[in-house]
Amino acid sequence: MNIWIITVNFGDTAPTREFIGSIENSFNKKGIKVFIADNQSTRKSKKDLKEIKNNSKLSIKIISYNKNIFYWPSIKKTLKNNIKSIKDYPDWMLLCNNDIAINDK
């Protein structure tokens, strides 16, 4: 099963770190692709998100936006810009905040 998870980071990356950790503990990592839209990216947020990506076994793509384009527009732009790069749609797509935890397998 292929799942795309698109979430939005704004400022503090700690919720994103916890969210990624909850995904890693709850899912079989195969077939999961995570997109993190980083609104109003800073040097620190880029560094922290890169560290999260490098320490994860998930397939993670970070998309940085120079300004805060807000939640739904960043989800839409991230989806639109990445859907073209694949040949098949995922079985499931989860669009969600980064301040949640997934605790159920």
Side-chain angles (χ1 to χ4, degrees), residues 31-92:
I32 295 179
K33 185 160 184 77
V34 178
F35 297 87
I36 302 171
D38 186 23
N39 272 336
Q40 200 167 336
S41 292
T42 63
R43 225 181 244 154
K44 181 172 177 15
S45 71
K46 288 178 185 180
K47 178 182 171 273
D48 291 350
L49 292 173
K50 185 177 180 182
E51 180 184 303
I52 292 167
K53 176 182 177 175
N54 291 341
N55 290 326
S56 177
K57 293 180 181 168
L58 294 169
S59 172
I60 298 175
K61 182 170 183 183
I62 302 163
I63 301 90
S64 299
Y65 298 110
N66 291 329
K67 63 181 187 173
N68 181 10
I69 59 173
F70 301 100
Y71 184 79
W72 284 114
S74 62
I75 292 276
K76 180 180 177 183
K77 189 172 184 176
T78 299
L79 181 59
K80 183 179 177 183
N81 290 340
N82 288 282
I83 203 96
K84 295 175 186 176
S85 67
I86 62 154
K87 295 180 179 145
D88 296 318
Y89 287 93
D91 297 314
W92 291 93

